[in-house]
Amino acid sequence: MPVAHSSLECSCAGLNRRHFLAVGGASLAAAFLAACGTGNQAGTASSTAAAPQRPAATLFRNVRVLDVRGGRLGAPTDVLVRGNTIAAIGAGQPADAGTDVIDGLGRTLMPGLIDNHVHLMFGSVTMADLTDTDKGVEFYAKAALTSADQMLMRGFTSVRDLGGPIFPAKAAIDAGKAAGPRIWPSGAMISSTSGHGDFRTPDEQSRRFTGKQSRAEQLNATFIVDGRDEVLTASRENLRMGASQLKLAAGGGTSSAYDPIDVTQFTIDEMRAGVEAADDWNTYVTVHAYTNKSVRRAMDAGVKCVEHGQLLDEATLRLMAERGVWLSGQYLVPNNDSMTPERRAKRVAIVEGNDRVWPEAKRAGVKLAWGTDFLFEPAENPKQNSMLLSLRKWFTAAELLRLVTLDNATLLGLSGPRSPYAGNLGVVEPNALADLILVDGDPLGNLDLIADPAKNFAVIMKDGIVYKKG
């Protein structure tokens, strides 16, 4: 995938690589453990080191709190963090012995950023990496952990991973053995045969005929399932492993080899099986889908969130708004000459849909979330922040700052008790989790500050731990 944005859209072509897919999930998990503790100190560009220690308390003095609910910047004040939560906000907060005091110098204190559509493993390596037989599984594990650290250093303190072998990386980060964002994992993407997540190479026949899982399934990248019973099993397997939500492929993709964009995937009974499994675990299903038919079928099955949606018409968007279904949107970059002619042809209508679906969904009152969905282009990952700015032709700075914080956090909240982390995110308020960024300037007045985190983010805190302090 030679393009910055290939929605998982999930890139079947990228996963049809025998070298990487020959690696089993168990050896990948062991590699993550081995990769922890290598590299430089946390917060540097190539780190896979352990997270710093959390102080008993941190006091931000003389900061202006960004109220993302109201789109306002508050008067100078103090913000006290105890443990991993915001304990108090107000001028003159006392600093007990052992409190780490940070002079805000009148700068902006805002919530940590949230990306609602990432693929942490497959966004950290290139196609050349996947075919390089000199690279062992430890390379991929270290690449993912390094990418997670860099993502955190861009101010993204929470992400929703929507397909791939993510559980070992999440475990390492949560245990403090590596630095990275909070992760809401989906686990293996659930796909029908010939669907968007059918990553089999041409020599691999269906498990139904051979009794053998494909290499991608062995890696825990995907489940290829047909019929209600198999969808239930795949859904429950992901939930057993700790999925906070389920990801199903409901329609065709631009990067997958066997499914044209217009096809609809899974019968309504199959889709309902996944929804029922998720509902039994008090969480939800999100689907990869572009077309009206695939999205309407998913909604009829009880799906609560749609990824992408660039081909949706006004009537379907209004129906989504009426039913309270979320649209988790991205902004795909234009076609380029590095893509195959077939892929460029597939993407034309999708790219054109960027400029239509966002304003129409906003007018219709659809619940909106945002994510990047970079895949197999690690060189593009530093553009994670600037991709948000692609939407400012339709959204004010205040609306975009709310989208990337509170609105995205609200979507994460759909996981309910399956959320991996207890507490409120996306706001700077008492009792909220202490995921904070100290910005050198006013992002409401100059949204471009968000696009250069290395220069403009003076402090980055996740879970009460300072990962960057400059």
Side-chain angles (χ1 to χ4, degrees):
M1 311 297 154
V3 65
H5 255 248
S6 53
S7 302
L8 191 95
E9 260 196 298
C10 197
S11 256
C12 179
L15 291 176
N16 289 340
R17 306 294 179 177
R18 299 187 186 188
H19 164 58
F20 186 64
L21 295 182
V23 174
S27 57
L28 185 61
F32 273 106
L33 292 176
C36 293
T38 63
N40 302 316
Q41 293 300 310
T44 63
S46 60
S47 171
T48 54
Q53 293 296 308
R54 179 193 294 119
T58 301
L59 179 60
F60 292 89
R61 286 208 184 280
N62 186 24
V63 295
R64 301 186 68 187
V65 172
L66 177 61
D67 173 11
V68 294
R69 295 185 192 275
R72 297 182 297 269
L73 199 59
T77 189
D78 299 341
V79 176
L80 178 64
V81 173
R82 289 196 185 279
N84 71 338
T85 60
I86 298 172
I89 300 177
Q93 293 295 325
D96 299 334
T99 298
D100 183 11
V101 179
I102 298 174
D103 188 349
L105 301 173
R107 293 173 288 188
T108 300
L109 191 67
M110 66 172 288
L113 307 177
I114 301 171
D115 190 328
N116 257 315
H117 196 130
V118 305
H119 302 283
L120 194 54
M121 167 59 76
F122 297 124
S124 64
V125 294
T126 67
M127 290 308 221
D129 292 331
L130 294 181
T131 57
D132 187 346
T133 56
D134 291 332
K135 290 182 168 68
V137 66
E138 294 81 6
F139 169 84
Y140 306 108
K142 187 173 181 179
L145 291 178
T146 298
S147 181
D149 183 22
Q150 293 170 348
M151 197 172 290
L152 180 59
M153 289 302 98
R154 291 191 288 271
F156 285 89
T157 53
S158 294
V159 299
R160 192 175 57 141
D161 190 285
L162 289 183
I166 188 59
F167 296 116
K170 173 177 161 45
I173 293 169
D174 288 349
K177 296 178 180 178
R182 303 176 190 270
I183 299 173
W184 272 253
S186 302
M189 188 171 69
I190 301 171
S191 171
S192 63
T193 296
S194 77
H196 184 55
D198 185 345
F199 304 152
R200 288 175 296 147
T201 53
D203 66 304
E204 291 181 293
Q205 290 185 311
S206 170
R207 172 178 44 80
R208 287 288 189 102
F209 305 135
T210 65
K212 181 181 178 181
Q213 280 188 316
S214 66
R215 286 180 282 269
E217 291 174 290
Q218 292 173 34
L219 184 64
N220 300 323
T222 185
F223 282 120
I224 304 171
V225 294
D226 297 289
R228 178 180 180 84
D229 290 350
E230 288 195 346
V231 174
L232 283 173
T233 300
S235 299
R236 290 166 178 167
E237 280 287 315
N238 275 337
L239 292 165
R240 172 180 176 268
M241 292 300 295
S244 49
Q245 64 283 322
L246 299 177
K247 168 77 173 297
L248 275 69
T254 68
S255 303
S256 34
Y258 300 106
D259 56 335
I261 291 294
D262 63 288
V263 304
T264 300
Q265 297 165 13
F266 284 127
T267 67
I268 192 166
D269 187 53
E270 290 172 319
M271 190 76 69
R272 279 176 178 157
V275 169
E276 289 168 5
D279 185 65
D280 285 346
W281 280 62
N282 299 304
T283 185
Y284 70 99
V285 168
T286 190
V287 294
H288 164 100
Y290 290 112
T291 67
N292 295 306
K293 181 178 178 180
S294 60
V295 168
R296 284 175 176 265
R297 179 177 293 181
M299 286 195 292
D300 288 344
V303 164
K304 294 183 179 179
C305 186
V306 172
E307 308 297 318
H308 316 312
Q310 278 91 339
L311 300 181
L312 299 181
D313 61 20
E314 290 188 34
T316 300
L317 289 168
R318 287 195 299 269
L319 185 61
M320 290 179 68
E322 291 171 8
R323 297 188 181 182
V325 174
W326 284 80
L327 178 61
S328 172
Q330 297 77 44
Y331 191 91
L332 302 190
V333 299
N335 284 339
N336 60 68
D337 292 338
S338 66
M339 301 175 191
T340 64
E342 294 79 11
R343 187 158 184 265
R344 287 201 301 270
K346 266 186 146 187
R347 294 182 87 251
V348 169
I350 306 300
V351 173
E352 290 175 351
N354 284 330
D355 288 343
R356 181 180 49 78
V357 72
W358 280 101
E360 288 184 0
K362 183 182 179 184
R363 284 194 297 270
V366 177
K367 294 179 180 180
L368 291 173
W370 169 85
T372 49
D373 195 17
F374 293 131
L375 197 61
F376 297 118
E377 287 288 322
E380 299 293 332
N381 288 338
K383 299 177 183 178
Q384 187 176 21
N385 300 62
S386 61
M387 288 307 300
L388 178 70
L389 275 59
S390 302
L391 305 181
R392 59 182 170 183
K393 64 183 82 172
W394 309 297
F395 297 85
T396 66
E399 289 171 333
L400 286 177
L401 290 167
R402 175 178 172 129
L403 181 67
V404 75
T405 56
L406 179 58
D407 292 347
N408 274 0
T410 304
L411 176 54
L412 294 179
L414 283 186
S415 294
R418 300 290 76 77
S419 173
Y421 314 97
N424 295 327
L425 287 170
V427 292
V428 184
E429 296 174 357
N431 301 316
L433 290 170
D435 290 8
L436 302 167
I437 303 172
L438 185 63
V439 184
D440 189 8
D442 173 14
L444 281 173
N446 182 12
L447 189 62
D448 288 330
L449 294 171
I450 299 297
D452 192 350
K455 177 182 178 181
N456 300 316
F457 291 179
V459 175
I460 297 173
M461 170 183 280
K462 186 200 83 172
D463 205 40
I465 299 172
V466 173
Y467 287 83
K468 176 184 178 181
K469 188 176 181 181

